[in-house]
Each structure stands twice: as structure tokens, then as C-alpha cells.
């Protein structure tokens, strides 16, 4: 396959030239932060800063909420056909700028451009189109309760919603949350992750001419300074958050102060189960299963559903792991803007340090290091970037590396002896977001898929994120579902009109 | 930590789990997170209490946690993030279980 290297942003010939400084996007305009402070935004590709971002505080959150509340009545009453048309226009604008947004996302997050071109951007674009379509097809319900009485159920928007998103798929996670909220007729105040604040500003430039002012607002800054006042505000009708468990608890606690709903996506420790029959033939399906094993390296392992626990049936363990290790060895870190690179940089220095600390405890607990296990230093401008070699550990499920999401390209592999053992190990976790099942036997596939306590069980596939397949967690992995039309319900009230057309009095008084 | 105490008063830590900034300790003004019946207080760091969820404690209790700090960027609502640093957990095996 022929490969090419995109020019680094802010250099000659690049598709992306950032402004030196980005303000908040409020009421359809760029608005400087009230306190006039900014923070440096570092590219994990090089470890060096490339722009400044607004460091917002409660006053900026209030200003964004003013703008959103100013827009919400008109937006909520905008006809579905018109809202859908605007969502489609957003998708078209993103598609026309696909390469530019993909390069920016790679520069801001560190992930390879191969993935942003083929996954992040196409999925985000499709998400706006999907919810534009859902919106046109949505309808309430009507029930005849008796001859003279009818109950109408009409969907109404919640109003202004707060959305706090993570840094692993910055634009895609924005699309997952913003598209259904806007489709349902809400106005949004979005707080991007402080690690990856840049591409959303390019997105804001694109939608500024499409959406009415105040419908979509971005407040940048640190969680404690900007995210917290947003999550605590009595002026938001709902809080949606993707992140981790302690912050998830805090978000619920804040929401309880205002009695508003939350949806939470809090990650997992997803099992990827390989039954013996995957090795029965040396065919395309065996190759697909091996690729499924290597999926732990997708997005440098920084995925809530990273298949970070591989469970392999004992009878095929040695043969399977030999092939799986060879497959993984071929994934070498390289320049993220090179279209041939299949693993890029971890998103931040602290993320790198955390991954290395987990590799350390893995060794101390006696797990066998089969591959990788170290930071990789690349030459030239990448020398200070945050690169880790794909790492395979072998051990048992009680080890810490099997129990906590490392959020890096690290897979922990254990054996199992038969179906019951596989399900028992798969479910021995606090989390339940994703899982994978690989088998040629349809009975095993369906039984295992139903028995694993997780919101999404990829069956003979992994890491597909199509719109119209619900995504969300069991157990401590969160509350609510995304990427499906049922998401509209998470962003709507139900109005019941109970109508009588009986002219006679009831006869009570 | 001393400068955080100067700015925010007494602190508390809670060990997070799950993804993104999970597996990282969160630092808040004392009392910010409501401590539940099943949270376990692992000890104090420079006089500030450190907690972990009960279920997570069961899976971590064979290890000794060392609170470190590294250059970094952000994490939930943790207080140190605006300073360009991040608390980090390093782990040792407990000598005796």
C-alpha cells in the first residue's frame, strides 16, 4: 500500500494552520475568557505546544448558558425538517473538510491519521446524518383510553444541556453527544477535554454559519474551573459525561443537587474471548480473529472498550498466542501523520506515565511480559512525543493489570478451560461496557454473548462503532446508551396531553 | 500538596477507576465528594485522607499505593490539573497479604 505523510500543522504545505490562540465559542462568536487567561495546548506527537486555549471559569459558563437559554425556545420550536436539514449541512461541511479535520485531530490527540481518516471523521459525519434521519422519522404516540378520552404523548426538548467529553476521540465523542441533543431540540454547552481542545474549534468555525447563535456553545478550560460549574449549574436540564468512575460519581452528586438526569459512560475492562474453534481452519476467519486480538492497539489502547483482557482457550493457547504475538509485533509506533503508521502517540505525558506505572506493577505481580513493555523514542521532531510499544502480558485475572483500564496499548492474556470458565472470568470485573466473542459455533456465539454482562458484545468482530447500534455500559461502566435513536429519549421530556371530548360532566361534584 | 492546601484548604483524595483518567487519583477540597458507606479510607497523605471505592479496594488490596506527581494535563475535576501537573499512582506488592 502506498503511503504518504501529511505536513505537520503550522508548517508550509499543511492543511491545518491554527490560530495562535482560541477563545470560547459562545452565541455563535468567539468570546475571550472573562479572566483573560489561556493555557498552552501540547501536541502529543511532538510533546510541544502549538496553540493557546481559553482557560474559562464560572463567568464564561454563565455567559454560555445565557446564550443557550436565549436560543432554546426558538430552536426547540424549529420544525424537525429544518433541524434535520441543518444537521445534514453540518455533516456536509465536515465531509468537505474531512482531511483537514483528520489531520488536526491527529495533531491534537496523537492518534494515527490512518484512523482519523478512516474512522473518527467518517463516523462523526455519519452521526449527524443518522440523527437527522431519526428526527424525521420520530413520532410520539396516541392511545384511546376510552370512547371519549385520548392520551397523546408528545416529545419535547429538555432545554439546555451540559456535555463533558473525553480526549480519546475528541471530535467523534462531541458528535456522539451533540448530534442527538441538537436533533432532539436542545441547546448545548460543551466542555471539551483540556488535553484535546483544538479540533472542536475548527468544527465551531464550520458550524458558525449553519446553526443559529447560541444553539451550540463551547467553553474550554480545566475540569475543576470550567467543567464543575457547568455540571453544578441549576440552569442545565441534563448532564452527559464520558470519563471515569470518581468523576462520574461527582457528576451524579451535582445532578442530585438540581434533580436533573445524567448519562454516564465510564469505561471498562473489556474481555475478548477466543474459543478453541477459531483455530480449526487456517482461513480468513482465523486471520480476522487474530486481527481482533490486535485491536487492543487501536487508538493506542485509549478506548473505553479496549479489548484489554484477552481470554484464550487452553487447548489452542500456545498456537494462537504465537500467531497473535507475531501479528502484534508488526504494529510499530511511527509518525502519526504518515498514512502507513498504525499506532501513534499516547495523548499526554501523564497518560504515558500511567501506562508505564501499570507495566511496572504488571511485572511486579509476576505477569509474563511477552512483547513490548517500554516507551519508544522516535527520531527527529517525535523525540519528545509519548510513544509506547504494543505490550502483551500473560497472567491471571486477579492481577491489577486485568482489573483496571490501563488506557494504553497493553493487553493482559489469560487461559480458560471451557465455556463456563470463560464466562466466569469474563464477568469477573467491576465493569461491563464492551466484550468480544470469537467462535465458529453459532450456539456458543449467542450463549456467550447473552451471558457476558456488558452493554456491547462484539460477536466475531470488534471495535465497530456504527450509528444505530446502541452503546453503553452495565455495572460500573455507566448509565444510558449512545449511538442509537433511543438516545433521543435521553434528551427529551414526554408531554402527555390527556384529552376528553365527552361533553358530559364526570358527575363527582 | 502544600500549595494546594494553601489555596483550597483541607483536601481529600479518591482513587478513580474505569477509562480516560480512570486508574488515577482525584484530589478535591475535603468534603467535595460524598464518601459512601462502601468507600475505604486507605490512609492519609500529608494529613489529607485518601479513599477508594469498596469494590475496587477488594481488587487492589494486595498492592501498596504510592502517590506521585508528574507533569501532565487535566483529569476530571482534580484540583492540581491547572498547574500543569497530575497526581499519579505507582504500586508495589505488599510484602505480607
Amino acid at each position: 500500500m502506498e503511503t504518504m505523510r501529511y505536513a505537520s500543522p503550522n508548517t508550509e504545505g499543511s492543511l491545518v494552520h491554527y490560530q495562535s490562540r482560541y477563545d470560547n465559542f459562545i452565541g455563535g462568536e468567539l468570546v475571550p475568557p472573562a479572566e483573560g487567561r489561556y493555557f498552552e495546548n501540547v501536541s502529543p506527537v511532538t510533546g510541544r505546544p502549538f496553540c493557546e486555549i481559553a482557560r474559562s471559569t464560572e463567568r464564561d459558563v454563565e455567559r454560555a448558558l445565557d446564550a443557550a437559554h436565549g436560543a432554546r425556545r426558538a430552536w426547540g420550536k424549529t420544525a424537525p425538517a429544518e433541524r434535520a436539514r441543518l444537521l445534514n449541512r453540518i455533516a456536509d461541511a465536515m465531509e468537505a473538510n474531512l482531511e483537514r479535520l483528520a489531520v488536526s485531530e491527529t495533531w491534537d490527540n496523537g492518534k494515527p491519521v490512518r484512523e482519523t481518516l478512516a474512522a473518527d471523521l467518517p463516523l462523526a459525519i455519519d452521526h449527524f446524518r443518522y440523527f437527522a434521519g431519526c428526527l424525521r422519522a420520530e413520532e410520539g404516540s396516541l392511545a384511546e383510553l376510552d370512547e371519549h378520552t385520548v392520551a397523546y404523548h408528545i416529545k419535547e426538548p429538555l432545554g439546555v444541556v451540559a456535555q463533558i467529553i473525553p480526549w480519546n476521540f475528541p471530535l467523534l465523542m462531541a458528535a456522539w453527544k451533540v448530534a442527538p441533543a441538537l436533533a432532539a431540540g436542545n441547546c448545548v454547552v460543551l466542555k471539551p477535554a483540556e488535553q484535546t481542545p483544538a479540533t472542536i474549534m475548527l468544527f465551531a468555525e464550520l458550524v458558525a454559519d449553519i446553526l443559529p447563535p447560541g444553539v451550540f456553545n463551547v467553553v474550554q478550560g480545566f475540569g475543576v474551573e470550567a467543567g464543575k460549574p457547568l455540571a453544578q449549574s441549576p440552569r442545565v436540564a441534563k448532564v452527559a459525561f464520558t470519563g471515569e468512575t470518581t468523576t462520574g460519581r461527582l457528576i451524579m452528586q451535582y445532578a442530585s443537587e438540581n434533580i436533573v438526569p445524567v448519562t454516564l459512560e465510564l469505561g471498562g475492562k473489556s474481555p475478548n474471548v477466543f474459543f478453541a474453534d477459531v483455530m480449526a481452519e487456517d482461513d480468513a476467519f482465523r486471520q480476522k480473529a487474530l486481527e481482533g486480538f490486535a485491536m487492543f492497539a487501536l487508538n493506542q489502547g485509549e478506548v473505553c472498550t479496549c479489548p484489554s483482557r484477552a481470554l484464550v482457550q487452553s487447548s489452542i493457547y500456545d498456537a494462537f498466542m504465537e500467531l497473535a504475538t507475531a501479528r502484534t509485533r508488526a504494529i510499530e509506533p511511527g509518525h502519526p501523520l504518515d498514512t502507513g503508521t498504525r499506532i501513534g502517540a499516547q495523548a499526554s505525558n501523564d497518560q504515558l506515565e500511567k501506562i508505564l506505572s501499570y507495566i511496572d506493577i504488571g511485572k511486579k505481580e509476576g505477569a509474563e511480559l511477552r512483547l513490548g513493555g517500554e516507551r519508544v523514542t522516535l527520531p527527529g521532531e517525535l523525540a519528545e512525543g509519548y510513544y509506547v510499544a504494543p505490550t502483551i502480558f500473560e497472567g491471571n485475572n486477579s492481577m491489577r493489570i486485568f482489573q483496571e483500564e490501563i488506557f494504553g496499548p497493553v493487553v493482559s492474556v489469560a487461559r480458560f478451560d471451557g465455556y463456563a470458565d470463560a464466562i466466569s472470568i469474563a464477568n469477573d470485573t467491576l465493569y461491563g461496557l464492551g466484550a468480544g466473542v470469537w467462535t465458529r459455533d453459532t450456539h456458543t456465539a449467542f450463549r456467550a454473548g447473552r451471558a457476558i454482562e456488558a452493554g456491547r458484545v462484539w460477536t466475531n468482530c470488534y471495535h465497530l462503532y456504527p450509528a444505530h447500534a446502541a452503546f453503553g455500559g452495565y455495572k460500573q461502566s455507566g448509565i444510558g446508551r449512545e449511538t442509537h435513536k433511543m438516545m433521543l429519549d435521553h434528551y427529551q421530556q414526554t408531554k402527555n396531553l390527556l384529552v376528553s371530548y365527552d361533553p358530559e360532566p364526570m358527575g363527582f361534584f | 500538596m502544600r500549595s494546594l492546601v494553601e489555596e483550597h484548604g483541607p483536601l481529600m483524595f479518591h482513587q478513580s477507576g474505569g477509562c480516560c483518567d480512570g486508574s488515577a487519583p482525584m484530589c478535591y477540597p475535603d468534603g467535595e465528594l460524598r464518601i459512601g458507606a462502601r468507600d475505604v479510607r486507605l490512609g492519609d497523605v500529608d494529613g489529607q485522607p485518601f479513599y477508594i471505592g469498596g469494590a475496587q479496594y477488594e481488587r487492589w488490596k494486595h498492592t501498596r499505593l504510592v502517590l506521585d506527581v508528574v507533569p501532565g494535563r487535566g483529569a476530571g475535576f482534580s484540583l492540581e490539573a491547572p498547574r500543569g501537573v497530575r497526581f499519579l499512582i505507582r504500586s508495589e506488592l505488599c510484602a505480607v497479604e
Side-chain angles (χ1 to χ4, degrees):
Chain A
M1 188 180 72
E2 213 161 300
T3 64
M4 62 159 291
R5 164 90 61 86
Y6 285 95
S8 296
N10 294 341
T11 66
E12 201 186 329
S14 177
L15 295 171
V16 181
H17 291 274
Y18 292 106
Q19 297 173 22
S20 57
R21 168 179 279 195
Y22 285 97
D23 292 318
N24 292 316
F25 182 73
I26 296 175
E29 297 176 340
L30 295 171
V31 179
E35 293 187 10
R37 291 189 296 172
Y38 295 82
F39 65 93
E40 281 192 334
N41 184 30
V42 171
S43 171
V45 176
T46 62
R48 292 181 203 136
F50 65 94
C51 66
E52 287 185 330
I53 300 287
R55 182 175 166 183
S56 308
T57 57
E58 186 168 2
R59 288 159 66 194
D60 304 296
V61 169
E62 289 300 322
R63 192 179 283 181
L65 289 170
D66 289 344
H69 277 277
R72 82 179 172 93
R73 289 193 193 284
W75 181 246
K77 291 189 189 314
T78 300
E82 175 65 6
R83 288 209 304 267
R85 189 181 72 83
L86 298 182
L87 293 180
N88 278 322
R89 277 188 61 197
I90 292 173
D92 293 345
M94 292 173 77
E95 196 162 51
N97 287 273
L98 192 152
E99 271 185 289
R100 192 166 78 90
L101 293 169
V103 167
S104 173
E105 200 73 327
T106 287
W107 200 246
D108 206 15
N109 168 278
K111 65 177 71 192
V113 75
R114 184 172 183 265
E115 288 179 16
T116 52
L117 287 170
D120 297 55
L121 262 295
L123 287 170
I125 291 164
D126 184 59
H127 225 69
F128 282 95
R129 293 193 173 128
Y130 171 71
F131 277 104
C134 288
L135 177 56
R136 296 302 301 276
E138 211 211 10
E139 53 194 358
S141 68
L142 179 157
E144 181 181 284
L145 304 183
D146 59 42
E147 177 184 10
H148 300 294
T149 314
V150 172
Y152 292 84
H153 295 106
I154 302 167
K155 307 290 181 143
E156 296 183 350
L158 294 175
V160 173
V161 299
Q163 304 186 321
I164 301 176
I165 57 168
W167 46 259
N168 56 343
F169 294 87
L171 200 55
L172 182 58
M173 292 301 103
W176 276 22
K177 289 200 170 21
V178 170
L182 295 184
N186 301 280
C187 293
V188 169
V189 177
L190 179 80
K191 213 297 270 175
E194 51 267 52
Q195 291 90 339
T196 52
T199 311
I200 196 74
M201 299 313 293
L202 307 185
F203 174 84
E205 287 170 9
L206 294 178
V207 304
D209 295 331
I210 298 173
L211 291 172
V215 169
F216 169 70
N217 307 276
V218 180
V219 177
Q220 299 276 13
F222 294 107
V224 63
E225 294 175 347
K228 182 178 155 186
L230 179 60
Q232 276 186 309
S233 172
R235 295 207 287 157
V236 302
K238 185 220 170 79
V239 183
F241 171 73
T242 295
E244 31 59 52
T245 57
T246 296
T247 309
R249 277 175 59 172
L250 256 188
I251 297 269
M252 289 188 87
Q253 184 185 308
Y254 295 152
S256 78
E257 295 168 14
N258 297 315
I259 314 189
V260 295
V262 296
T263 47
L264 302 171
E265 199 271 85
L266 305 177
K269 189 69 184 172
S270 302
N272 204 8
V273 185
F274 297 89
F275 287 97
D277 59 13
V278 299
M279 291 290 281
E281 305 276 344
D282 184 5
D283 58 358
F285 179 68
R286 182 197 279 191
Q287 293 303 315
K288 187 182 185 191
L290 290 166
E291 181 186 41
F293 174 92
M295 283 287 182
F296 75 90
L298 186 90
N299 208 45
Q300 298 75 240
E302 294 167 344
V303 192
C304 304
T305 42
C306 175
S308 53
R309 287 190 297 147
L311 309 180
V312 182
Q313 193 153 5
S314 293
S315 57
I316 59 161
Y317 187 90
D318 292 338
F320 180 86
M321 284 309 298
E322 191 173 323
L323 296 172
T325 305
R327 179 68 76 112
T328 307
R329 191 175 281 121
I331 308 170
E332 292 177 7
H335 199 300
L337 286 175
D338 192 319
T339 57
T341 295
R342 294 193 287 167
I343 186 167
Q346 309 303 141
S348 64
N349 179 64
D350 46 300
Q351 186 58 25
L352 169 74
E353 293 276 1
K354 189 175 81 183
I355 294 163
L356 297 176
S357 81
Y358 265 99
I359 290 173
D360 179 57
I361 185 65
K363 291 177 188 164
K364 285 175 182 162
E365 280 196 271
E368 231 14 80
L369 179 64
R370 190 175 177 113
L371 187 72
E374 64 207 355
R375 181 178 185 172
V376 175
T377 305
L378 296 173
E381 66 169 345
L382 310 183
E384 288 166 50
Y386 316 130
Y387 300 87
V388 175
T391 297
I392 302 175
F393 272 116
E394 296 170 286
N396 67 67
N397 200 55
S398 64
M399 293 173 169
R400 285 265 305 276
I401 54 170
F402 282 82
Q403 288 297 333
E404 275 304 314
E405 189 54 274
I406 298 168
F407 228 53
V410 182
V411 65
S412 305
V413 190
R415 318 166 171 255
F416 68 88
D417 295 314
Y419 176 83
D421 195 28
I423 301 303
S424 162
I425 299 172
N427 286 335
D428 182 13
T429 171
L430 301 179
Y431 308 102
L433 189 57
V437 170
W438 298 87
T439 176
R440 297 172 192 267
D441 183 289
T442 53
H443 298 98
T444 304
F446 278 91
R447 284 171 66 212
R450 294 302 302 274
I452 293 173
E453 295 159 352
R456 157 82 53 90
V457 183
W458 279 283
T459 307
N460 290 338
C461 59
Y462 209 97
H463 268 337
L464 300 174
Y465 298 91
H468 207 45
F471 181 85
Y474 283 27
K475 293 154 81 173
Q476 291 197 17
S477 291
I479 300 171
R481 291 294 179 271
E482 301 193 274
T483 69
H484 189 270
K485 64 181 179 181
M486 68 177 72
M487 184 92 175
L488 291 174
D489 292 337
H490 294 353
Y491 282 103
Q492 288 173 324
Q493 286 283 17
T494 298
K495 169 63 59 63
N496 169 234
L497 289 185
L498 189 54
V499 178
S500 165
Y501 41 88
D502 183 354
E504 297 300 321
M506 287 175 68
F508 266 118
F509 297 109
Chain B
M1 276 188 61
R2 286 190 199 106
S3 82
L4 284 176
V5 171
E6 271 175 31
E7 187 179 342
H8 300 282
L11 306 174
M12 65 186 296
F13 289 89
H14 194 276
Q15 174 64 44
S16 192
C19 77
C20 298
D21 306 307
S23 321
M26 298 294 168
C27 176
Y28 304 126
D30 191 27
E32 180 75 18
L33 177 74
R34 183 187 177 280
I35 291 300
R38 299 194 60 227
D39 286 304
V40 176
R41 183 170 177 164
L42 293 179
D44 294 352
V45 184
D46 204 19
Q48 319 299 317
F50 192 111
Y51 299 91
I52 188 169
Q56 207 171 336
Y57 170 77
E58 288 302 317
R59 291 162 194 265
W60 286 44
K61 64 186 178 185
H62 62 292
T63 54
R64 177 185 295 117
L65 307 184
V66 179
L67 184 67
D68 197 358
V69 66
V70 296
R73 172 52 41 81
F77 301 159
S78 202
L79 287 175
E80 78 285 8
R83 295 161 185 249
V85 293
R86 183 70 192 102
F87 287 114
L88 177 80
I89 285 294
R90 299 188 193 281
S91 309
E92 305 283 343
L93 282 190
C94 290
V96 183
E97 294 221 352

